[in-house]
Coordinates of all heavy atoms in Angstrom, one line a residue:
M1 N 87.0 104.5 186.3 CA 88.3 103.9 186.7 C 88.5 104.0 188.2 O 88.2 105.1 188.8 CB 89.5 104.7 186.0 CG 89.5 104.5 184.5 SD 90.8 105.6 183.7 CE 92.3 104.9 184.4
L2 N 89.1 102.9 188.7 CA 89.3 103.0 190.2 C 90.8 103.3 190.4 O 91.7 102.8 189.7 CB 89.0 101.6 190.8 CG 87.5 101.2 190.7 CD1 87.3 99.8 191.3 CD2 86.6 102.2 191.3
F3 N 91.0 104.0 191.5 CA 92.4 104.4 191.9 C 92.5 104.2 193.4 O 91.6 104.6 194.1 CB 92.7 105.9 191.6 CG 92.6 106.2 190.1 CD1 91.4 106.6 189.6 CD2 93.7 106.2 189.4 CE1 91.3 107.0 188.2 CE2 93.7 106.6 188.0 CZ 92.5 107.0 187.4
Q4 N 93.6 103.6 193.8 CA 94.0 103.6 195.2 C 94.8 104.9 195.5 O 95.8 105.1 194.7 CB 94.8 102.4 195.6 CG 95.2 102.4 197.1 CD 96.3 101.4 197.4 OE1 96.1 100.2 197.2 NE2 97.5 101.8 197.8
V5 N 94.3 105.6 196.4 CA 95.0 106.9 196.7 C 95.4 106.8 198.2 O 94.6 106.6 199.1 CB 94.1 108.1 196.5 CG1 94.8 109.4 196.8 CG2 93.6 108.1 195.0
E6 N 96.7 107.0 198.5 CA 97.2 107.0 199.8 C 97.6 108.4 200.2 O 98.4 109.0 199.4 CB 98.3 106.0 200.1 CG 98.8 106.0 201.5 CD 99.7 104.8 201.9 OE1 100.0 104.0 200.9 OE2 100.1 104.7 203.0
M7 N 97.0 109.0 201.2 CA 97.3 110.4 201.6 C 97.9 110.4 203.0 O 97.4 109.8 203.9 CB 96.0 111.2 201.6 CG 95.1 111.1 200.4 SD 93.6 112.0 200.7 CE 92.6 111.3 199.4
T8 N 99.0 111.1 203.1 CA 99.6 111.3 204.4 C 99.6 112.8 204.7 O 100.2 113.6 203.9 CB 101.1 110.7 204.4 OG1 101.0 109.3 204.1 CG2 101.7 110.9 205.8
V9 N 99.0 113.1 205.8 CA 98.8 114.5 206.2 C 100.1 115.0 206.9 O 100.5 114.4 207.9 CB 97.5 114.8 207.0 CG1 97.4 116.2 207.3 CG2 96.3 114.2 206.3
K10 N 100.6 116.1 206.5 CA 101.8 116.7 207.1 C 101.5 118.2 207.3 O 102.1 119.0 206.6 CB 103.0 116.5 206.3 CG 103.4 115.0 206.2 CD 104.7 114.7 205.6 CE 105.1 113.3 205.7 NZ 106.4 113.0 205.4
L11 N 100.7 118.5 208.3 CA 100.5 119.9 208.6 C 101.7 120.5 209.3 O 102.4 119.9 210.1 CB 99.3 120.1 209.5 CG 97.9 119.8 208.9 CD1 96.8 119.8 210.0 CD2 97.5 120.9 207.9
P12 N 102.0 121.8 208.9 CA 103.2 122.4 209.6 C 103.0 122.5 211.1 O 101.8 122.8 211.5 CB 103.2 123.8 209.0 CG 102.4 123.8 207.8 CD 101.4 122.7 207.9
T13 N 104.0 122.2 211.9 CA 103.8 122.1 213.3 C 103.5 123.5 213.9 O 102.9 123.6 215.0 CB 105.1 121.6 214.0 OG1 106.2 122.3 213.5 CG2 105.3 120.1 213.7
D14 N 103.8 124.5 213.2 CA 103.5 125.9 213.7 C 102.2 126.4 213.2 O 101.9 127.6 213.4 CB 104.7 126.8 213.4 CG 104.9 127.0 211.9 OD1 104.3 126.2 211.1 OD2 105.7 127.9 211.5
M15 N 101.4 125.6 212.5 CA 100.1 126.1 212.0 C 99.2 126.3 213.3 O 99.1 125.4 214.1 CB 99.5 125.2 211.0 CG 98.1 125.7 210.5 SD 97.3 124.5 209.4 CE 98.2 124.9 207.9
P16 N 98.6 127.5 213.4 CA 97.7 127.7 214.5 C 96.5 126.6 214.5 O 96.0 126.3 213.5 CB 97.1 129.1 214.3 CG 98.1 129.8 213.4 CD 98.7 128.7 212.6
T17 N 96.2 126.2 215.7 CA 95.1 125.1 215.9 C 93.8 125.5 215.2 O 93.2 124.7 214.5 CB 94.9 124.8 217.4 OG1 96.1 124.6 218.0 CG2 94.0 123.7 217.6
E18 N 93.5 126.8 215.3 CA 92.2 127.2 214.8 C 92.2 127.1 213.2 O 91.2 126.6 212.6 CB 92.0 128.7 215.1 CG 90.6 129.2 214.9 CD 90.4 130.6 215.4 OE1 90.7 130.8 216.6 OE2 89.9 131.5 214.6
Q19 N 93.3 127.4 212.6 CA 93.5 127.3 211.2 C 93.4 125.9 210.7 O 92.8 125.5 209.8 CB 94.8 128.0 210.7 CG 95.0 128.0 209.2 CD 96.3 128.6 208.8 OE1 97.1 129.1 209.6 NE2 96.6 128.5 207.5
A20 N 94.2 125.0 211.5 CA 94.2 123.6 211.2 C 92.8 123.0 211.3 O 92.4 122.2 210.4 CB 95.2 122.9 212.1
D21 N 92.1 123.3 212.4 CA 90.7 122.8 212.6 C 89.8 123.2 211.4 O 88.9 122.4 211.0 CB 90.2 123.3 213.9 CG 90.9 122.6 215.1 OD1 91.6 121.6 214.9 OD2 90.7 123.1 216.2
K22 N 90.0 124.4 210.9 CA 89.1 124.9 209.9 C 89.4 124.2 208.6 O 88.4 123.8 207.9 CB 89.4 126.4 209.6 CG 88.3 127.2 208.9 CD 88.6 128.6 208.9 CE 87.6 129.4 207.9 NZ 88.0 130.8 207.7
I23 N 90.7 123.9 208.3 CA 91.0 123.2 207.0 C 90.5 121.7 207.1 O 89.9 121.2 206.2 CB 92.5 123.2 206.8 CG1 93.1 124.6 206.6 CG2 92.9 122.3 205.6 CD1 94.6 124.7 206.6
K24 N 90.6 121.1 208.3 CA 90.1 119.7 208.5 C 88.6 119.7 208.4 O 88.1 118.7 207.8 CB 90.5 119.2 209.9 CG 92.0 118.9 210.0 CD 92.3 118.4 211.4 CE 93.8 118.7 211.8 NZ 94.1 118.3 213.2
A25 N 87.9 120.7 208.9 CA 86.4 120.7 208.8 C 86.0 120.8 207.3 O 85.1 120.1 206.8 CB 85.8 121.8 209.6
T26 N 86.7 121.7 206.5 CA 86.4 121.9 205.1 C 86.7 120.6 204.4 O 86.0 120.2 203.5 CB 87.2 123.0 204.5 OG1 87.1 124.1 205.4 CG2 86.7 123.5 203.2
E27 N 87.8 119.9 204.7 CA 88.2 118.7 204.1 C 87.2 117.6 204.3 O 86.8 116.9 203.4 CB 89.6 118.2 204.7 CG 90.1 116.8 204.3 CD 91.0 116.9 203.0 OE1 91.3 118.0 202.6 OE2 91.3 115.9 202.5
K28 N 86.7 117.5 205.6 CA 85.6 116.5 205.9 C 84.4 116.8 205.1 O 83.8 115.8 204.5 CB 85.3 116.7 207.4 CG 84.2 115.7 207.9 CD 84.0 115.8 209.4 CE 83.0 114.7 209.8 NZ 82.9 114.8 211.3
S29 N 84.0 118.0 205.0 CA 82.8 118.3 204.2 C 83.0 118.0 202.7 O 82.1 117.3 202.1 CB 82.5 119.8 204.4 OG 81.5 120.2 203.5
Y30 N 84.1 118.3 202.1 CA 84.4 118.0 200.7 C 84.5 116.5 200.5 O 83.9 116.0 199.5 CB 85.8 118.7 200.4 CG 86.3 118.4 199.0 CD1 85.7 119.1 197.9 CD2 87.3 117.5 198.8 CE1 86.2 118.8 196.6 CE2 87.8 117.3 197.5 CZ 87.3 117.9 196.4 OH 87.7 117.7 195.1
S31 N 85.1 115.8 201.4 CA 85.3 114.3 201.2 C 83.9 113.7 201.4 O 83.6 112.7 200.6 CB 86.3 113.7 202.2 OG 85.7 113.6 203.5
Q32 N 83.1 114.1 202.3 CA 81.8 113.5 202.4 C 80.9 113.8 201.3 O 80.1 112.9 200.9 CB 81.1 113.9 203.8 CG 81.9 113.4 205.0 CD 81.3 113.6 206.3 OE1 80.5 114.6 206.5 NE2 81.6 112.8 207.3
D33 N 81.0 114.9 200.7 CA 80.3 115.3 199.4 C 80.7 114.3 198.3 O 79.8 113.7 197.6 CB 80.5 116.7 199.1 CG 79.7 117.2 197.9 OD1 78.5 116.8 197.8 OD2 80.2 118.0 197.1
L34 N 82.0 114.1 198.1 CA 82.5 113.2 197.1 C 82.1 111.7 197.4 O 81.7 110.9 196.5 CB 84.0 113.3 196.9 CG 84.5 114.6 196.4 CD1 86.0 114.5 196.3 CD2 83.9 114.9 195.0
Q35 N 82.0 111.3 198.7 CA 81.6 110.0 199.1 C 80.1 109.8 198.7 O 79.7 108.8 198.1 CB 81.8 109.8 200.6 CG 83.3 109.6 200.9 CD 83.5 109.5 202.4 OE1 83.0 108.6 203.1 NE2 84.1 110.6 203.0
R36 N 79.3 110.8 199.0 CA 77.9 110.7 198.6 C 77.6 110.7 197.1 O 76.7 110.0 196.6 CB 77.1 111.9 199.2 CG 77.0 111.8 200.7 CD 76.1 112.8 201.3 NE 76.2 112.8 202.8 CZ 77.0 113.7 203.5 NH1 77.6 114.7 202.9 NH2 77.1 113.6 204.8
Q37 N 78.5 111.3 196.3 CA 78.4 111.3 194.9 C 78.9 109.9 194.3 O 78.8 109.7 193.1 CB 79.3 112.4 194.3 CG 78.8 113.8 194.4 CD 79.8 114.8 193.9 OE1 80.3 114.6 192.8 NE2 80.0 115.9 194.6
G38 N 79.6 109.1 195.1 CA 80.2 107.8 194.7 C 81.5 108.0 194.0 O 82.1 107.0 193.5
K39 N 82.1 109.2 194.1 CA 83.4 109.4 193.5 C 84.5 108.9 194.5 O 85.6 108.5 194.0 CB 83.7 110.9 193.3 CG 82.8 111.5 192.3 CD 83.3 111.3 190.9 CE 82.4 111.9 189.8 NZ 82.6 111.2 188.5
W40 N 84.3 109.0 195.8 CA 85.2 108.5 196.8 C 84.6 107.3 197.4 O 83.8 107.4 198.4 CB 85.4 109.7 197.8 CG 86.6 109.5 198.8 CD1 87.1 108.4 199.3 CD2 87.4 110.6 199.3 NE1 88.2 108.7 200.1 CE2 88.3 110.1 200.1 CE3 87.3 112.0 199.1 CZ2 89.3 110.8 200.8 CZ3 88.3 112.8 199.8 CH2 89.2 112.2 200.6
R41 N 85.0 106.1 196.9 CA 84.2 104.9 197.3 C 84.6 104.4 198.7 O 83.7 103.8 199.4 CB 84.6 103.8 196.3 CG 84.0 104.0 195.0 CD 82.9 102.9 194.7 NE 82.8 102.7 193.2 CZ 83.1 101.6 192.6 NH1 83.4 100.5 193.3 NH2 83.0 101.5 191.3
H42 N 85.8 104.5 199.1 CA 86.3 104.0 200.4 C 87.2 105.0 201.0 O 88.0 105.6 200.3 CB 87.0 102.6 200.3 CG 86.2 101.5 199.9 ND1 85.6 100.7 200.9 CD2 85.8 101.0 198.7 CE1 84.9 99.8 200.3 NE2 85.0 99.9 199.0
L43 N 87.1 105.1 202.3 CA 88.1 106.0 203.1 C 88.4 105.2 204.4 O 87.6 105.0 205.2 CB 87.4 107.3 203.4 CG 88.1 108.3 204.4 CD1 89.5 108.6 203.9 CD2 87.3 109.6 204.6
W44 N 89.7 104.9 204.4 CA 90.2 104.1 205.6 C 91.3 104.8 206.2 O 92.2 105.3 205.6 CB 90.6 102.7 205.1 CG 89.5 101.8 204.6 CD1 89.2 101.7 203.3 CD2 88.6 101.0 205.4 NE1 88.1 100.8 203.2 CE2 87.7 100.4 204.4 CE3 88.4 100.8 206.7 CZ2 86.7 99.5 204.9 CZ3 87.4 99.9 207.1 CH2 86.6 99.3 206.2
R45 N 91.3 104.8 207.6 CA 92.5 105.3 208.3 C 93.5 104.2 208.3 O 93.2 103.0 208.5 CB 92.1 105.7 209.7 CG 93.2 106.1 210.7 CD 93.9 107.4 210.2 NE 93.1 108.6 210.5 CZ 93.1 109.6 209.7 NH1 93.8 109.6 208.5 NH2 92.4 110.7 209.9
V46 N 94.8 104.5 208.1 CA 95.9 103.6 208.3 C 96.2 103.6 209.8 O 96.6 104.7 210.3 CB 97.1 103.9 207.4 CG1 98.2 102.9 207.7 CG2 96.7 104.0 206.0
A47 N 95.9 102.5 210.5 CA 96.1 102.5 211.9 C 97.5 103.0 212.4 O 98.5 102.6 211.8 CB 95.8 101.1 212.5
G48 N 97.5 103.8 213.4 CA 98.7 104.3 214.0 C 99.4 105.4 213.2 O 100.6 105.7 213.5
S49 N 98.7 106.0 212.2 CA 99.3 107.1 211.5 C 98.3 108.2 211.1 O 97.1 108.0 211.3 CB 99.9 106.5 210.1 OG 98.8 106.2 209.3
Y50 N 98.8 109.3 210.6 CA 97.9 110.3 210.1 C 97.8 110.2 208.6 O 98.2 111.1 207.8 CB 98.4 111.7 210.5 CG 97.4 112.8 210.4 CD1 96.1 112.6 209.9 CD2 97.7 114.1 210.7 CE1 95.2 113.6 209.8 CE2 96.8 115.1 210.6 CZ 95.5 114.9 210.2 OH 94.6 115.9 210.0
S51 N 97.5 108.9 208.1 CA 97.4 108.6 206.7 C 96.0 107.9 206.5 O 95.5 107.3 207.4 CB 98.5 107.6 206.3 OG 99.7 108.2 206.5
N52 N 95.6 108.0 205.2 CA 94.4 107.2 204.9 C 94.7 106.5 203.6 O 95.6 106.9 202.8 CB 93.2 108.1 204.7 CG 93.2 109.0 203.5 OD1 93.0 108.6 202.4 ND2 93.3 110.3 203.8
V53 N 94.0 105.4 203.4 CA 94.0 104.7 202.1 C 92.5 104.8 201.6 O 91.6 104.5 202.3 CB 94.4 103.3 202.2 CG1 94.1 102.5 200.9 CG2 95.9 103.2 202.5
S54 N 92.4 105.4 200.4 CA 91.1 105.6 199.8 C 91.0 105.0 198.4 O 92.0 104.7 197.7 CB 90.9 107.1 199.6 OG 90.8 107.8 200.9
I55 N 89.8 104.7 198.0 CA 89.5 104.2 196.7 C 88.6 105.3 196.0 O 87.5 105.6 196.5 CB 88.8 102.9 196.6 CG1 89.6 101.8 197.4 CG2 88.5 102.4 195.2 CD1 90.9 101.4 196.8
F56 N 89.1 105.8 194.9 CA 88.4 106.8 194.1 C 87.8 106.2 192.9 O 88.5 105.3 192.3 CB 89.3 108.0 193.7 CG 89.4 109.0 194.8 CD1 90.3 108.8 195.9 CD2 88.8 110.2 194.8 CE1 90.4 109.7 196.9 CE2 88.9 111.2 195.8 CZ 89.7 110.9 196.9
D57 N 86.7 106.6 192.4 CA 86.1 106.2 191.2 C 86.0 107.4 190.3 O 85.1 108.2 190.5 CB 84.7 105.5 191.4 CG 84.2 104.9 190.1 OD1 84.8 105.0 189.0 OD2 83.2 104.2 190.2
A58 N 87.0 107.6 189.4 CA 87.0 108.8 188.6 C 86.9 108.4 187.1 O 87.3 107.3 186.7 CB 88.3 109.6 188.8
E59 N 86.5 109.3 186.3 CA 86.4 109.0 184.8 C 87.7 108.7 184.2 O 87.8 107.8 183.4 CB 85.8 110.3 184.1 CG 84.3 110.6 184.3 CD 83.4 109.4 183.9 OE1 83.7 108.9 182.8 OE2 82.6 109.0 184.6
D60 N 88.7 109.4 184.6 CA 90.1 109.3 184.0 C 91.1 110.0 184.9 O 90.7 110.5 186.0 CB 90.1 109.9 182.6 CG 89.5 111.3 182.5 OD1 89.6 112.0 183.6 OD2 89.1 111.7 181.5
N61 N 92.3 109.9 184.5 CA 93.4 110.5 185.3 C 93.2 112.0 185.5 O 93.5 112.5 186.6 CB 94.8 110.4 184.6 CG 95.2 109.0 184.5 OD1 94.6 108.1 185.0 ND2 96.4 108.8 183.8
A62 N 92.6 112.7 184.5 CA 92.4 114.1 184.6 C 91.4 114.4 185.7 O 91.5 115.4 186.5 CB 91.9 114.7 183.3
E63 N 90.3 113.6 185.8 CA 89.3 113.9 186.8 C 89.9 113.6 188.2 O 89.6 114.3 189.2 CB 88.0 113.1 186.6 CG 86.9 113.5 187.6 CD 85.7 112.7 187.6 OE1 85.7 111.5 187.4 OE2 84.6 113.3 187.9
L64 N 90.6 112.5 188.3 CA 91.3 112.2 189.6 C 92.1 113.3 190.1 O 92.1 113.8 191.2 CB 92.1 110.9 189.5 CG 92.7 110.6 190.9 CD1 91.7 110.0 191.8 CD2 93.9 109.7 190.8
Q65 N 92.9 113.9 189.1 CA 93.8 115.0 189.5 C 93.0 116.2 190.0 O 93.3 116.8 191.0 CB 94.6 115.4 188.2 CG 95.4 116.6 188.4 CD 96.6 116.5 189.4 OE1 96.9 115.4 189.8 NE2 97.1 117.6 189.9
E66 N 91.8 116.4 189.3 CA 91.0 117.6 189.8 C 90.4 117.3 191.2 O 90.4 118.2 192.0 CB 89.8 117.7 188.7 CG 89.0 118.9 189.0 CD 87.8 119.0 188.1 OE1 87.9 118.5 186.9 OE2 86.7 119.4 188.6
L67 N 89.9 116.1 191.4 CA 89.3 115.7 192.7 C 90.3 115.9 193.8 O 90.1 116.5 194.9 CB 88.7 114.3 192.7 CG 87.6 114.0 191.7 CD1 87.3 112.5 191.7 CD2 86.4 114.8 192.1
V68 N 91.5 115.3 193.6 CA 92.5 115.3 194.6 C 93.2 116.7 194.8 O 93.4 117.1 196.0 CB 93.6 114.2 194.3 CG1 94.8 114.3 195.2 CG2 93.0 112.9 194.4
S69 N 93.4 117.4 193.7 CA 94.1 118.7 193.9 C 93.1 119.8 194.5 O 93.6 120.8 195.0 CB 94.6 119.2 192.6 OG 93.6 119.4 191.6
N70 N 91.8 119.5 194.5 CA 90.9 120.4 195.2 C 90.7 120.1 196.7 O 89.9 120.8 197.4 CB 89.5 120.4 194.5 CG 89.6 121.2 193.2 OD1 90.2 122.2 193.1 ND2 88.9 120.7 192.2
L71 N 91.4 119.0 197.2 CA 91.3 118.7 198.6 C 91.9 119.9 199.4 O 93.0 120.4 199.1 CB 92.1 117.5 198.9 CG 91.5 116.1 198.5 CD1 92.6 115.1 198.5 CD2 90.4 115.7 199.3
P72 N 91.1 120.4 200.4 CA 91.7 121.5 201.2 C 93.0 121.2 201.8 O 93.8 122.1 202.0 CB 90.6 121.7 202.2 CG 89.3 121.3 201.6 CD 89.7 120.1 200.7
L73 N 93.2 119.9 202.1 CA 94.5 119.5 202.7 C 95.6 119.2 201.7 O 96.7 118.9 202.0 CB 94.4 118.3 203.6 CG 93.8 118.5 205.0 CD1 93.5 117.2 205.7 CD2 94.7 119.3 205.9
F74 N 95.3 119.4 200.4 CA 96.2 119.0 199.3 C 97.6 119.6 199.5 O 98.6 118.9 199.3 CB 95.6 119.4 198.0 CG 96.5 119.0 196.8 CD1 96.6 117.7 196.4 CD2 97.2 120.0 196.1 CE1 97.4 117.3 195.3 CE2 98.0 119.7 195.0 CZ 98.1 118.3 194.6
P75 N 97.7 120.9 199.9 CA 99.0 121.5 200.0 C 99.8 120.9 201.2 O 101.0 121.1 201.2 CB 98.8 123.0 200.3 CG 97.4 123.2 199.9 CD 96.6 121.9 200.1
Y76 N 99.1 120.1 202.0 CA 99.8 119.6 203.2 C 99.8 118.1 203.2 O 99.9 117.5 204.3 CB 99.1 120.1 204.5 CG 98.8 121.6 204.5 CD1 97.6 122.1 204.2 CD2 99.9 122.5 204.6 CE1 97.4 123.5 204.2 CE2 99.7 123.8 204.6 CZ 98.4 124.3 204.4 OH 98.2 125.7 204.4
M77 N 99.7 117.4 202.1 CA 99.7 116.0 202.0 C 100.7 115.4 201.0 O 101.0 116.0 200.0 CB 98.3 115.5 201.6 CG 97.3 115.7 202.7 SD 95.8 114.7 202.5 CE 95.1 115.4 201.1
E78 N 101.3 114.3 201.4 CA 102.0 113.5 200.4 C 101.0 112.5 199.9 O 100.2 111.8 200.6 CB 103.1 112.7 201.1 CG 104.4 113.5 201.2 CD 105.5 112.7 201.9 OE1 105.4 111.4 201.9 OE2 106.4 113.3 202.4
I79 N 100.9 112.4 198.5 CA 99.8 111.5 197.9 C 100.5 110.6 197.0 O 101.3 110.9 196.1 CB 98.8 112.5 197.2 CG1 98.2 113.4 198.2 CG2 97.8 111.6 196.5 CD1 97.2 114.4 197.6
N80 N 100.1 109.3 197.1 CA 100.5 108.3 196.2 C 99.3 107.6 195.5 O 98.4 107.3 196.2 CB 101.3 107.2 196.9 CG 102.7 107.7 197.2 OD1 103.5 107.9 196.3 ND2 103.0 107.9 198.4
V81 N 99.3 107.5 194.2 CA 98.2 107.0 193.4 C 98.6 105.7 192.7 O 99.7 105.6 192.1 CB 97.7 108.1 192.4 CG1 96.6 107.5 191.5 CG2 97.3 109.3 193.1
K82 N 97.7 104.7 192.8 CA 97.9 103.5 192.0 C 96.6 103.2 191.2 O 95.5 103.0 191.9 CB 98.2 102.3 192.9 CG 99.5 102.4 193.6 CD 99.8 101.3 194.6 CE 101.1 101.5 195.4 NZ 101.2 100.6 196.5
P83 N 96.7 103.1 189.9 CA 95.5 102.8 189.1 C 95.2 101.3 189.4 O 96.1 100.5 189.5 CB 95.9 103.1 187.7 CG 97.4 103.1 187.7 CD 97.9 103.4 189.1
L84 N 93.9 101.0 189.4 CA 93.5 99.6 189.7 C 92.7 99.1 188.5 O 92.0 99.8 187.8 CB 92.6 99.6 190.9 CG 93.2 100.1 192.2 CD1 92.1 100.1 193.4 CD2 94.4 99.3 192.7
C85 N 92.7 97.8 188.3 CA 91.8 97.1 187.4 C 91.3 95.8 188.0 O 91.9 95.4 189.0 CB 92.5 96.9 186.0 SG 93.9 95.9 186.1
R86 N 90.3 95.3 187.5 CA 89.6 94.1 188.0 C 90.6 92.9 188.1 O 91.3 92.7 187.1 CB 88.4 93.8 187.2 CG 87.5 92.8 187.7 CD 86.2 92.6 186.9 NE 85.5 91.4 187.3 CZ 84.8 91.4 188.5 NH1 84.7 92.4 189.2 NH2 84.2 90.2 188.8
H87 N 90.5 92.2 189.2 CA 91.3 91.0 189.4 C 90.5 89.9 188.8 O 89.3 89.7 189.1 CB 91.6 90.7 190.8 CG 92.7 89.7 191.0 ND1 92.5 88.4 190.7 CD2 94.0 89.8 191.4 CE1 93.6 87.7 190.9 NE2 94.5 88.5 191.3
P88 N 91.1 89.0 187.9 CA 90.4 88.0 187.3 C 89.8 87.0 188.3 O 88.8 86.2 187.9 CB 91.4 87.3 186.3 CG 92.7 87.7 186.8 CD 92.5 89.1 187.5
S89 N 90.3 86.9 189.5 CA 89.7 85.9 190.4 C 88.7 86.5 191.4 O 88.2 85.8 192.2 CB 90.9 85.4 191.3 OG 91.9 84.8 190.5
S90 N 88.4 87.8 191.2 CA 87.4 88.5 192.1 C 86.1 87.9 191.9 O 85.6 87.7 190.7 CB 87.4 90.0 191.8 OG 86.4 90.6 192.6
V91 N 85.3 87.6 193.0 CA 84.0 87.1 192.8 C 83.0 88.2 192.9 O 81.8 88.0 192.8 CB 83.6 86.0 193.9 CG1 84.5 84.8 193.7 CG2 83.8 86.6 195.3
R92 N 83.4 89.5 193.2 CA 82.5 90.6 193.3 C 82.2 91.2 191.9 O 83.1 91.7 191.2 CB 83.2 91.7 194.2 CG 83.3 91.2 195.6 CD 83.9 92.3 196.5 NE 83.0 93.5 196.4 CZ 82.6 94.1 197.5 NH1 82.9 93.7 198.7 NH2 81.8 95.1 197.4
E93 N 80.9 91.2 191.6 CA 80.5 91.6 190.3 C 80.5 93.2 190.2 O 80.5 93.7 189.1 CB 79.1 91.1 190.0 CG 79.0 89.6 189.8 CD 80.0 89.1 188.7 OE1 80.2 89.8 187.7 OE2 80.5 88.0 188.8
D94 N 80.5 93.8 191.4 CA 80.4 95.3 191.4 C 81.8 96.0 191.5 O 81.9 97.2 191.7 CB 79.5 95.8 192.5 CG 80.0 95.4 193.9 OD1 80.9 94.5 194.0 OD2 79.5 95.9 194.9
D95 N 82.9 95.2 191.3 CA 84.2 95.8 191.4 C 84.6 96.3 190.0 O 85.6 95.8 189.4 CB 85.2 94.7 191.8 CG 85.2 94.6 193.3 OD1 84.6 95.3 194.0 OD2 85.9 93.6 193.8
S96 N 84.0 97.3 189.5 CA 84.4 97.7 188.2 C 84.9 99.2 188.2 O 84.7 99.8 189.2 CB 83.2 97.7 187.2 OG 82.1 98.3 187.8
Ligands
LIG218 O1 92.5 112.7 207.9 C1 92.9 112.4 206.7 O2 93.3 111.3 206.4 C2 92.7 113.4 205.6 C3 91.3 113.4 205.2 C4 90.7 112.9 204.1 C5 89.3 113.1 204.2 C6 89.1 113.7 205.4 O3 88.1 114.1 205.9 O4 90.3 113.9 206.1

């Protein structure tokens, strides 16, 4: 199942830079691992913001919840999820 996930990062302004950098590095590694596994299909920055729009490919809602709640930045993000299904006019055969 495909899901559009929009994440907006809201780190506390008083978080020490070293701590923030460590969380961001762990987040990068975790996200790149999921991208290589094909679970995190797309990762796009929303221009002009500290948000991303991502496409996840998870077995079901429970797996999506597990993937997203294990994000190192999870405690510091607002997350919106939209389940997706194939558009009947899509010409892409691999959009499943
Ligand atoms: O910077 C972000 O949008 C949050 C994030 C998701 C994956 C990653 O490496 O950073």
Side-chain angles (χ1 to χ4, degrees):
M1 293 173 67
L2 298 179
F3 298 89
Q4 177 191 299
V5 181
E6 183 165 4
M7 308 176 199
T8 300
V9 183
K10 296 192 169 188
L11 286 171
T13 51
D14 61 351
M15 180 182 279
T17 307
E18 194 176 307
Q19 186 185 351
D21 288 348
K22 197 171 170 189
I23 297 171
K24 288 179 203 173
T26 313
E27 176 90 4
K28 181 175 182 176
S29 168
Y30 177 75
S31 79
Q32 291 186 336
D33 187 35
L34 292 181
Q35 289 172 67
R36 290 188 190 99
Q37 289 176 42
K39 296 277 177 199
W40 194 325
R41 290 246 207 120
H42 289 268
L43 171 58
W44 294 96
R45 174 66 74 219
V46 180
S49 71
Y50 195 0
S51 299
N52 72 71
V53 170
S54 293
I55 304 294
F56 279 75
D57 189 353
E59 287 298 316
D60 50 26
N61 293 359
E63 188 187 31
L64 182 77
Q65 175 64 18
E66 186 187 326
L67 296 173
V68 168
S69 62
N70 282 324
L71 289 164
L73 281 171
F74 182 75
Y76 309 107
M77 292 198 289
E78 276 181 18
I79 299 178
N80 284 291
V81 175
K82 293 178 183 167
L84 304 175
C85 59
R86 187 175 170 75
H87 193 290
S89 303
S90 175
V91 296
R92 294 183 58 128
E93 293 303 325
D94 60 348
D95 280 352
S96 53

